[in-house]
Amino acid sequence: MANLDKYREYHRLDDDEEDSMPAGEDDMLVHVPEGLKDSWHHITNLDNFFTRIYHFHQKNGFSCMMLSEFFELVQFLFVVIFTTFLFTCVDYDVLFANTYVNHTNVVSVERNKVTLPDAIFPRDQCRQRIQENGWIIFLLVMAAIFWLYRLVKVICNMLSYWEIRTFYNKALKIPTVELCNFTWQEVQQRLISIQREHQMCVHKKELTELDIYHRILRFKNYMVAMVNKSLLPIRFHLPGWGEVIFLTQGLKYNFELILFWGPGSLFQNKWNLHPKYKRAGNRLELAQHLSRTICLIGLANLLLCPLILVWQILYAFFSYAEIIKREPGSLGARRWSLFGRLYLRHFNELEHELQMRLNRGYKPASKYMNSFISPLLTVAAKNIAFFSGSILAVLITLTVYDEDVLTVQHILTAITILGIVITISRTFIPDEHMVWNPEQLLQCVLAHIHYMPDHWKGNANASETRNELAELFQYKAVFILEELLSPVITPLILIFCLRHKSLEIIDFFRNFSVEVVGVGDICSFAQMDVRKHGHPQWFSEGQTEASVYQQAENGKTELSLMHFAITNPQWQPPQESSVFIGHLKEKVQQDATNAPSAQLILSEAPLAASLLSNASSAAPDDLLSSVLVHPILTASGLPTRDRYFMQPSSTANVAASILASFSNSQLSSRTKSHTGHPNRCPENVPYRTDHSIIDDRWTGPKSLFSYDPSASMSPSDSRHHCASHSNLLSEYANTEMSLHAIYMHEKHQQQSQLPQAVGMWQTASAVREHHMQSGSSLSPDQPPESLPGPSQLPLGGWAESEEEQTQSARKSSIPR
């Protein structure tokens, strides 16, 4: 934040392919009826258009989307009607047997059996009870207004998505029944091809993958950048508790409402920042205006707090009550928090790409978090489970012997509570058959989530590291509690915290917004330009001109660039990005020469998977397991299959060796796939390797990698085969990105520790000079005993390797 006083003006990025923008166009799809019927030309709001195309693909077509929205309306109506019925139409005195019910009007000692109609008021009495309660009438009116608004929105969505369905069928040539067999990359390539024919965007003759991502993720990239620069007020210090992070769906909705699309927001439409926010002259007045807007929206949240709170409680009760009764341990399960999804998200990463990546990291993250078990808590949980189980066993036995036991008051309640207590207690008892290695588990988590603070390295056993990961990977019970408290806390955050950051927000949007021709105003971080936002310690040294204020934290610019390039192999990066990718590839090739071959590393895959408690046998998981465990195996001195010891290798070198073996996955050599033909797969597979890593052991002799598009098969079989092929390639693309994340983090750690290494070398030189001055016979090339050197190599170093080779040579020379 050293350059806060040096504000640079908002600027525009020109394009060589700029055309004039026709004036007077409406925010809708414009059709040309004569000669080009059913064509799509000059779509003004391409943000909405591309977003709907993406959602149409991800939500499996028109029928699934409309059915989901229909049941959302029915669900809301059911919650309102059923809740009103429970509050006004049920006679709880009869239901709980507090009032005597006599069906025969004959005095009897025995109670009559209560039926369900007995506990429900008549219709007229129920209607009267509703009319006499003003609060219920008010809530019903508000619910009716909201339901009608949702109904109108569903009708509008139905019309717009029918248009998208027609576009898929006629323009993209993708039938609805085959939609699930097409990946998003295939749909995207067809969109790019359609641009050449129909000119959906009149500003550019051709669209790129990055243009489409920018339009779909315009506001999301701003949110990711603001979280990365710690601009949003989501971290708070509670006395006696410490630092906490609070970000809920309601708070996030208000952030987006204030900044992007609400009344008084910074954007004048979906794709352009208001011109007054692009100038630095009136920043103070704009900050005051934004502060007033935030205050008004905060007060509106405060007024609506009771309504929102009631809805949150009811929705949570109807959603989770049955799950908690059936599986009480589900509250102890974890989920990626909303803050974690923004913190871990790359720039230009679509929702399904993020979700797939976090899903892969769920199991290793759960194993890591479960490795922190309190011995005291474990002992207490075992005893609580024992006592509760004993009582429950007796109650169940009595119930089996005589079912009349169930008629005893509160006996079912006791059985239910005891079952919940036992289930919760078992969650605190660790698995006795698992081998925990926190450092390697944390590395495995990093391979999938791609980001972690520097101080986590080497501190995987620390409770501080666990607590910080818990902020990203929270308990489901914590998530539910935060959402319930959100209606109360959100207005306070808006009024007392966000309002005071108005000037910083105004400066952020001016300094980090650029206008790209054919796209509009976007966050400059989303361009993934290492020259403007790179970090010198993340392979951008000598290439970046960014100040501390302009640098993205945690290497997000560099990692986002690599992720986008690997996910979209046909994308042609700009010159600066190409230079960075080429430089990284050169570093990988250099480090690969200091590591064993990929075949030798992968030969240890079964042992590596066992050490990481990885039950999966998939080839991508074997790759990651081998990379993470190989340095431990070599340092431990365990012999390999050829009975020779190997030189200890760092994780970075091992990852580089695997990456270098992906000869055909080099970003510059990936060719375009035949997306114009729905029944053909890419002919050039990007993951065939020089060292035959993907051999018959994993893929089989007739694997997808040997797919012949010219082979005779039916169109449907070919389409399904191509879909399976694309899924497998996607798995290996994710694995390649995981290897890059491991490699880049390891090299970043080495570069960060370089000043410390220089200081240690200077200390060693001073000790050596001291020995020479004191007349010691210490050789200049020999390090002092107090310093680490080659003589202190662990078992498995070069000395043992040479000795093993000498003994083998002697044995082979003995005549038999």
Side-chain angles (χ1 to χ4, degrees), residues 215-286:
R215 287 189 174 274
I216 297 176
L217 300 171
R218 187 187 306 274
F219 298 151
K220 186 66 67 176
N221 283 327
Y222 274 108
M223 291 292 293
V224 173
M226 286 189 285
V227 170
N228 181 259
K229 299 298 291 183
S230 301
L231 180 61
L232 296 178
I234 54 180
R235 289 184 179 272
F236 308 95
H237 184 80
L238 298 181
W241 186 270
E243 188 178 76
V244 296
I245 291 180
F246 185 85
L247 181 61
T248 61
Q249 292 288 352
L251 183 59
K252 176 175 172 287
Y253 177 86
N254 278 275
F255 285 158
E256 295 175 350
L257 176 70
I258 293 169
L259 300 176
F260 302 125
W261 50 268
S265 65
L266 280 63
F267 279 77
Q268 62 179 1
N269 50 43
K270 294 291 185 179
W271 58 90
N272 278 331
L273 194 67
H274 200 285
K276 62 183 179 181
Y277 293 103
K278 302 177 181 180
R279 299 184 294 269
N282 55 346
R283 50 189 290 267
L284 296 178
E285 292 80 359
L286 295 175

Side-chain angles (χ1 to χ4, degrees), residues 10 20 35 80 82 97 126 215 223 252 273 287 310 321 401 403 448 518 572 598 600 650 663 696 705 711 718 767 772:
Y10 168 96
S20 59
V80 172
F82 188 54
C126 181
R215 287 189 174 274
M223 291 292 293
K252 176 175 172 287
L273 194 67
V310 169
Y401 177 75
E403 63 181 9
H448 297 292
Q572 298 297 324
L600 186 59
S650 66
S663 58
D696 292 344
F705 290 95
S718 177
V767 173
M772 294 177 64

Side-chain angles (χ1 to χ4, degrees), residues 759-772:
M760 292 177 61
W761 178 255
Q762 292 175 353
T763 303
S765 300
V767 173
R768 190 177 290 114
E769 292 179 0
H770 172 73
H771 278 275
M772 294 177 64

